Amino acid sequence: MTTPIGIHDLAFATGSRVLDLSVIAERLGTEIEKYTIGIGQERMSIPAADEDIVTMGAAAAKQIIDRHGAEGIRTVLFATETGIDQSKAAGVYVHQLLELPATCRVVELKQACYSATAALQFATALVARDPRQRVLVIASDVARYELGSSGEPTQGAGAVAMLVAADPDLVVIEPGSGVFTSDIMDFWRPNGRVTALVDGKYSIRAYLQAVENAWNDYSAQGGFPISEFNRFCYHQPFTKMASKAHRHLIKTAGGDLDPAVLDAQIAPTLKYNRVIGNTYTASIYLALLSLLDSDEELDETKIGFLSYGSGSVAEFFAGTVQPGYRKHLRSEENRSVLAARVPIDASEYLTWHERRDPTELGDFALPNETPGPFRLAGFTDLKRDYAVTQ
Ligand code: COA
């Protein structure tokens, strides 16, 4: 029998500021119900001035290292589509901040919102080769669209960290998956731009097409029948997208289309993303965390994962929740982190939106704002200076 491999621990971090979508609705003269009902979003996390994908990724990973230590970690995979450098992997900064051993490889992965799933699959393969090893997977992103664009209400910021190991405490990632790639332009961010470009309606159609193709490949590969899955986690650029994708998957796969059944299969996965916003690579694993932190008893539950990254790549795979998983969660702490975010007003939001990294050599200090364990203190000659705060 092969050793089960999967997610041994899962932690998250997010921007320490929060914007209620009523602020955007008021500025744009939009009915708030378009956001709360139409796209299924209420609030979005915004990073403080000294927070970025590194500080959030490190804050998520620190919880895992504090609990398990660094033993066996010889690989760190950092997934992001909001990279901070064209050359250096953001994970190398995290490696330093967490004082991980030098006997470690660190690399960054990119393919829009999909790349954390590539990282997870690559990690399971590394552990299969040597089950003594553990792989630290980090997904961290800041979603920023042009003011006034259709994407503006779907911004957000957050990170997840996963420890991938043999005999995991939380979720076994089952072998086999369905994959799909298609060269399209539904969402992209050319070099030099801090805001992404998106053809929103096209991206919804492309996502649904990818769901269908990834599922068909999964079935062709001999995956579990749809009836074996009880819960489903989707990439959630906005939570309503998960409802659209789920209905399409179940229709494609020939499952039960009763709206109450469909809703029960995904409702607990939507809670965190609804109040955090789009976290790109992290969003599908925040959906998993939201599900695990819910009141439901999930021992042995089979979860279907549908990961989509515009451009586009998609993957369907299965996970099985492990008996006793609940003992290993941080549900209360997670809810406290969300409740502790500081609300910002319209002018603070616009200030954040205008923020840019310096592009000229020189020293640039950032205000000390984050309550988190790490901060981006500033820049020296275009080098990022990170600091430990706690
Ligand atoms: N009350 C309730 N619902 C309302 C409403 C109101 N007052 N006003 C509009 N809606 C509904 C619409 O009917 C629509 O629902 P539907 O999609 O189920 O038909 C939904 O709200 C959105 O309205 P729409 O007019 O389509 O909004 P939009 O043109 O501003 O675009 C998105 C919506 C999702 C396309 C846009 O937010 C976007 O581009 N998001 C980013 C997409 C993305 O991240 N893609 C990345 C790849 S996944």
Side-chain angles (χ1 to χ4, degrees), residues 31 33-34 37-39 145 150-151 153-154 186-187 198-201 203-204 207 235 237-238 240-241 244 278 308 310:
E31 285 181 10
E33 291 77 15
K34 174 171 174 181
I37 299 168
I39 61 170
Y145 295 93
S150 70
T154 68
D186 58 334
F187 170 109
V198 64
D199 183 342
K201 298 273 164 59
S203 79
I204 294 174
Y207 186 140
H235 164 53
F238 48 96
K240 186 80 173 288
M241 187 65 229
K244 290 177 191 284
N278 195 355
Y308 176 74
S310 290

Side-chain angles (χ1 to χ4, degrees), residues 192-373:
R193 283 186 68 99
V194 294
T195 51
L197 299 167
V198 64
D199 183 342
K201 298 273 164 59
Y202 179 36
S203 79
I204 294 174
R205 290 197 304 276
Y207 186 140
L208 297 180
Q209 193 62 48
V211 166
E212 200 172 317
N213 285 291
W215 171 262
N216 287 341
D217 185 49
Y218 180 74
S219 294
Q221 299 291 319
F224 298 110
I226 198 74
S227 54
E228 293 231 355
F229 294 96
N230 298 313
R231 296 290 176 267
F232 294 82
C233 291
Y234 291 85
H235 164 53
Q236 297 173 16
F238 48 96
T239 63
K240 186 80 173 288
M241 187 65 229
S243 312
K244 290 177 191 284
H246 188 46
R247 195 170 189 291
H248 195 71
L249 173 73
I250 299 302
K251 202 170 159 201
T252 302
D256 185 350
L257 283 168
D258 177 344
V261 173
L262 295 181
D263 185 59
Q265 286 169 334
I266 60 166
T269 73
L270 309 179
K271 292 199 168 136
Y272 286 173
N273 285 300
R274 188 173 168 88
V275 296
I276 292 174
N278 195 355
T279 54
Y280 291 161
T281 51
S283 121
I284 183 174
Y285 300 102
L286 267 179
L288 172 62
L289 192 60
S290 183
L291 173 64
L292 296 177
D293 279 351
S294 72
D295 294 336
E296 289 193 316
E297 184 46 68
L298 297 164
D299 281 3
E300 310 279 9
T301 295
K302 192 83 74 220
I303 303 174
F305 290 86
L306 192 291
S307 181
Y308 176 74
S310 290
S312 69
V313 177
E315 179 161 348
F316 185 92
F317 62 99
T320 307
V321 181
Q322 294 305 283
Y325 73 98
R326 211 175 259 292
K327 295 197 294 285
H328 308 286
L329 300 176
R330 301 176 184 80
S331 311
E332 276 310 308
E333 294 99 305
N334 292 343
R335 286 191 271 269
S336 306
V337 165
L338 290 176
R341 289 173 298 169
V342 179
I344 59 170
D345 61 19
S347 106
E348 290 166 302
Y349 164 65
L350 292 176
T351 301
W352 164 72
H353 214 281
E354 283 164 11
R355 200 181 298 151
R356 301 283 182 273
D357 285 352
T359 54
E360 300 291 331
L361 288 177
D363 294 356
F364 185 89
L366 289 163
N368 196 336
E369 291 184 353
T370 183

Side-chain angles (χ1 to χ4, degrees), residues 6-134:
I7 303 171
H8 191 52
D9 197 2
L10 173 62
F12 97 107
T14 186
S16 62
R17 306 310 195 238
V18 64
L19 182 78
D20 197 285
L21 289 195
S22 59
V23 174
I24 294 180
E26 206 168 299
R27 199 187 86 248
L28 298 179
T30 304
E31 285 181 10
I32 187 63
E33 291 77 15
K34 174 171 174 181
Y35 300 156
T36 53
I37 299 168
I39 61 170
Q41 292 301 125
E42 266 175 56
R43 296 194 275 280
M44 61 173 69
S45 285
I46 302 282
D50 50 352
E51 294 170 346
D52 69 359
I53 59 164
V54 168
T55 64
M56 290 191 298
K62 180 178 189 301
Q63 299 166 55
I64 287 177
I65 301 301
D66 284 352
R67 180 181 284 181
H68 301 278
E71 202 188 328
I73 297 180
R74 294 174 58 79
T75 305
V76 176
L77 301 174
F78 195 108
T80 186
E81 64 179 283
T82 45
I84 47 162
D85 194 284
Q86 297 284 1
S87 171
K88 180 165 176 161
V92 175
Y93 294 110
V94 174
H95 175 272
Q96 154 70 13
L97 289 169
L98 297 178
E99 299 179 1
L100 297 177
T103 47
C104 190
R105 60 168 84 84
V106 182
V107 72
E108 188 166 306
L109 295 93
K110 175 171 67 184
Q111 178 22 60
C113 303
Y114 164 76
S115 65
T117 296
L120 175 61
Q121 294 290 7
F122 297 167
T124 61
L126 283 167
V127 176
R129 188 162 184 160
D130 176 4
R132 293 167 307 173
Q133 289 192 34
R134 296 166 164 209

